[in-house]
Amino acid sequence: MKFRRLADAHCHADFSEYADFSGLAFGLDLCVDACFPGDWEGLKKFDAFPIKKAYGIHPDLRISEFEDIAFVESEIFGAFLPKLSEYIESADAVGETGLDRNLERRVPMYLQKRLFDAQLELAGKFGLPAIIHCAGEWGAVFDALKAWTEKYGTAAGERRDRKKTGRFLLHAAKCSREMVEIFESMGGYFSFGLRELGCARGAECARAASAGRVMVESDSESSKAKIEDTVSKLAEIRNVEADEMSETVFANFTEFYSK
Ligand SMILES: [Zn+2]
C-alpha cells in the first residue's frame, strides 16, 4: 500500500543512532517526544530539522520503588521543571505527561498529579498542546484536563493571542465511547498504535472518535512501514479507504501541531 502522506503523532527516538539524521524515519512527518530529562538535550540537537518536538516528564520518572520520594519530588520541582521550561521555548508540544495507575507503587499518585498539573500549566503558559499519557486514571485525567481547558482552552470562547491553547492529544487512546465525546468537546484528539487497535477497547475508541480528531502513532522508533500498517488497520476499523484515512490523519496532525 502506497500513501501520499503519512504522519506519526507520537514516537520516541534514540538520537545517539541518528547523529546525522540519515536514519531517522524519512517519508513521514512525526512528533518526537523526549519525556525524560536525560533525553531533552538529544532532541534539542534536531532544532534545525523539520520534525515536531515535544518535551516533558513522563509519570514513570524511571525511579525504583526504593527511592526517597521526598528527595525525588524536590529534584523534580527544584531542578527538572525549571529546566523543562527552557526546552519548551522551542517546542511544538508538552509531554508526554499524565497519570498511570500501574506506576503507583513506585510513583505515588499525589506526585503524579502534581507533576501533571505543573506541565499542563506550562503548556497553557506557552500556548502549546499537551500530549497525555493515561492508564487506568481516566476520571482523574478528565478532572485535570477540565480545569486546564477551562483556564486555557478555546472551546468556551475566544482564542488567546490566536494560539491554539488548550488542545490535547490522548496518546495510546482506549477510553470509552462516552469519554471520547466528552474529551472531544474539550478540545481532545486521539492517537492510536497497533497495540490499541488490536484490543477491543482501543478499537471501540478508534471507531467512536470523530474523523477530525484521529491520528496514529508508533510510540517507539518510528518507521514508514509501521505507520502504513497502523493507518491501514485504523481504516479497516473505521470502515474507510486506507488512502483517505492517511490523508485525514495527516491533516489532523498538521492542524494539531501547527502553532
Ligand atoms: Zn510514548
Side-chain angles (χ1 to χ4, degrees):
M1 174 69 71
K2 276 266 174 276
F3 297 108
R4 215 161 59 85
R5 298 185 297 180
L6 289 165
D8 184 343
H10 177 82
C11 67
H12 302 278
D14 177 0
F15 285 92
S16 59
E17 288 179 24
Y18 303 123
D20 59 357
F21 200 67
S22 59
L24 185 55
F26 272 114
L28 74 169
D29 282 27
L30 39 94
C31 179
V32 182
D33 281 44
C35 54
F36 293 98
D39 300 340
W40 295 341
E41 197 50 36
L43 181 56
K44 179 104 181 94
K45 293 200 179 105
F46 289 80
D47 268 359
F49 294 97
I51 53 171
K52 302 295 182 187
K53 289 172 283 289
Y55 297 92
I57 304 177
H58 193 285
D60 183 90
L61 299 180
R62 286 186 180 154
I63 57 170
S64 82
E65 59 194 289
F66 307 111
E67 217 89 24
D68 175 351
I69 284 297
F71 176 73
V72 168
E73 188 168 3
S74 74
E75 280 267 87
I76 289 173
F77 289 91
F80 293 140
L81 268 175
K83 194 88 202 140
L84 178 61
S85 317
E86 293 170 24
Y87 287 98
I88 280 175
E89 279 177 29
S90 65
D92 299 284
V94 172
E96 61 188 282
T97 175
L99 305 176
D100 191 326
R101 190 172 288 171
N102 307 320
L103 301 171
E104 215 179 345
R105 202 166 50 96
R106 288 190 290 115
V107 187
M109 198 47 70
Y110 83 86
L111 178 55
Q112 292 192 36
K113 281 186 179 143
R114 189 179 167 206
L115 182 57
F116 183 32
D117 285 338
Q119 291 179 80
L120 287 177
E121 191 56 35
L122 270 181
K125 224 171 84 185
F126 284 87
L128 292 172
I131 299 165
I132 312 296
H133 170 104
C134 177
E137 289 289 343
W138 291 104
V141 162
F142 165 76
D143 289 343
L145 288 173
K146 187 163 166 38
W148 180 61
T149 52
E150 275 169 7
K151 184 170 177 190
Y152 290 107
T154 54
E158 98 243 45
R159 287 195 161 169
R160 285 164 203 254
D161 303 331
R162 294 165 62 218
K163 283 177 185 164
K164 292 186 244 173
T165 50
R167 279 167 301 165
F168 59 94
L169 172 66
L170 294 160
H171 108 83
K174 35 180 191 186
C175 53
S176 68
R177 186 168 282 276
E178 294 71 34
M179 287 309 285
V180 165
E181 212 172 292
I182 294 167
F183 283 131
E184 282 194 1
S185 72
M186 291 160 60
Y189 288 68
F190 307 86
S191 122
F192 307 94
L194 285 174
R195 186 182 45 192
E196 292 74 55
L197 298 176
C199 78
R201 245 183 115 73
E204 191 202 334
C205 182
R207 243 187 310 268
S210 302
R213 300 298 179 94
V214 293
M215 291 186 238
V216 294
E217 65 176 52
S218 62
D219 197 19
S220 59
E221 278 188 29
S222 192
S223 84
K224 210 175 161 194
K226 211 182 285 180
I227 292 304
E228 283 177 345
D229 287 350
T230 314
V231 164
S232 301
K233 182 78 187 163
L234 181 62
E236 191 187 307
I237 287 171
R238 293 177 61 87
N239 199 20
V240 296
E241 292 296 328
D243 52 355
E244 183 194 329
M245 193 76 257
S246 75
E247 290 297 310
T248 301
V249 160
F250 188 88
N252 293 343
F253 174 92
T254 308
E255 162 73 16
F256 182 78
Y257 285 111
S258 68
K259 287 185 181 169

